[in-house]
Amino acid sequence: VTVARGVLLHPITMGLLLQSLFLLLLLLLGSCLHPAAAFPKGCYPSEEEGLKTFRCSNAQLTEVPRDIPNDTNKLYLDSNQIPFLPRDAFRDLPLLLELDLSHNAIARIESGAFQGLAEHLHSLDLSSNRLVSVSKDTFSNLKAKVNLSNNPWLCDCRLQELIRVVELAADSSGGIVCDSSTQEEQVGKAFLQVMADTDLCNVYKKTTDIAMLVTMFGWFAMVISYLVYYVRQNQEDARRHLEYLKSLPSKQRRSEESSTISTVV
């Protein structure tokens, strides 16, 4: 009976072993064909309200991470140390609806940083960064509602042009405050209030025109001064020469005088 049982168990054991080896081979082959995504530490994908979300909040990032799933709808990069946004930073995210970049160290945004997001993006949060001045072209064709509050803005014509082309997020306009300004009395004021009182682009144009007029007047004054000096110097030279001629004998004096008069004429 023992021999018979041994004979019966041997094929079963071999079958299980072969099955285990086959499953292991499938797992190894699958990992080669579909390697696991290597997300940065602190980043993970999820699904929220039926939308594919990628969270990298407070992950100590110093740049926009690569290999973000290109079907991401909501991207959270808030509370990091990202200093600037390069061109085409989000080029491979055509389905992105919401982008949160708040509470970073962003001081510069290259033109074209949001290229490719115009069609779908409807929310862009850039609050609590280090933005001082941004070109209006940075947001060209972008239809998203933008939060620009709590940045150290320089209130000038450039910011006025920017505010006029973007759609500000609800209740965020009051947070756009002049940290510095071309006019000292505007520092600390909400920028929309400054815009209501002053057309900064018109003020800049007037200042430029006045500077040009002052420069032109300065050059004109220099030219006039030189001409006056030149005439007076020639008159002084002529007077001295005439005095010299008077001291000469009469015959020689006449010939010299006629020569001097013809030269002056």
Side-chain angles (χ1 to χ4, degrees):
V1 176
T2 304
V3 173
R5 288 175 66 184
V7 171
L8 290 171
L9 287 173
H10 181 70
I12 294 172
T13 304
M14 289 298 294
L16 291 172
L17 182 61
L18 289 173
Q19 186 178 6
S20 299
L21 289 173
F22 181 71
L23 289 173
L24 180 61
L25 182 63
L26 286 177
L27 288 172
L28 290 174
L29 187 61
S31 65
C32 292
L33 294 175
H34 303 286
F39 299 133
K41 184 179 179 181
C43 299
Y44 61 91
S46 64
E47 188 164 325
E48 299 177 5
E49 300 176 351
L51 297 175
K52 293 188 176 180
T53 303
F54 193 74
R55 285 191 174 274
C56 287
S57 302
N58 201 20
Q60 299 182 349
L61 298 176
T62 56
E63 63 180 2
V64 176
R66 300 177 182 178
D67 301 323
I68 299 172
N70 57 14
D71 59 350
T72 298
N73 303 127
K74 300 170 71 174
L75 176 59
Y76 292 89
L77 299 175
D78 55 298
S79 303
N80 287 289
Q81 292 97 42
I82 300 172
F84 82 103
L85 301 178
R87 183 179 178 85
D88 294 327
F90 308 98
R91 177 182 56 184
D92 299 324
L93 302 172
L95 302 179
L96 199 61
L97 301 174
E98 297 181 19
L99 175 57
D100 189 348
L101 291 160
S102 63
H103 297 90
N104 272 281
I106 300 170
R108 182 166 61 92
I109 303 176
E110 291 186 357
S111 179
F114 303 114
Q115 189 170 338
L117 301 181
E119 291 298 321
H120 296 92
L121 191 70
H122 63 71
S123 177
L124 172 60
D125 194 344
L126 286 165
S127 63
S128 301
N129 277 282
R130 299 177 184 173
L131 296 171
V132 175
S133 183
V134 179
S135 170
K136 64 178 181 179
D137 297 332
T138 304
F139 300 93
S140 59
N141 301 320
L142 205 62
K143 300 179 180 65
K145 294 181 179 180
V146 185
N147 189 342
L148 298 172
S149 61
N150 299 320
N151 281 281
W153 290 110
L154 166 63
C155 291
D156 59 358
C157 178
R158 199 178 193 200
L159 180 58
Q160 179 172 302
E161 290 180 337
L162 171 64
I163 296 300
R164 285 177 173 171
V165 298
V166 299
E167 184 178 356
L168 296 176
D171 302 323
S172 69
S173 59
I176 304 174
V177 178
C178 301
D179 187 72
S180 58
S181 177
T182 52
Q183 300 181 37
E184 189 175 348
E185 66 273 11
Q186 295 171 352
V187 175
K189 291 184 178 181
F191 187 64
L192 290 190
Q193 178 186 346
V194 171
M195 282 181 60
D197 298 335
T198 309
D199 185 344
L200 292 175
C201 293
N202 192 38
V203 169
Y204 174 78
K205 185 177 183 301
K206 286 181 178 178
T207 304
T208 304
D209 291 344
I210 291 171
M212 289 181 64
L213 286 173
V214 170
T215 303
M216 291 175 63
F217 180 78
W219 279 106
F220 183 73
M222 287 176 62
V223 171
I224 295 298
S225 299
Y226 176 76
L227 289 174
V228 170
Y229 170 79
Y230 179 79
V231 170
R232 286 182 177 177
Q233 188 66 32
N234 281 350
Q235 288 178 343
E236 184 66 21
D237 289 342
R239 185 183 63 79
R240 289 176 181 174
H241 192 61
L242 288 173
E243 288 179 353
Y244 167 73
L245 291 177
K246 290 177 181 179
S247 65
L248 295 175
S250 60
K251 188 173 182 180
Q252 184 180 359
R253 186 174 59 200
R254 288 195 193 98
S255 61
E256 289 285 344
E257 284 178 351
S258 61
S259 176
T260 299
I261 292 171
S262 63
T263 302
V264 170
V265 172

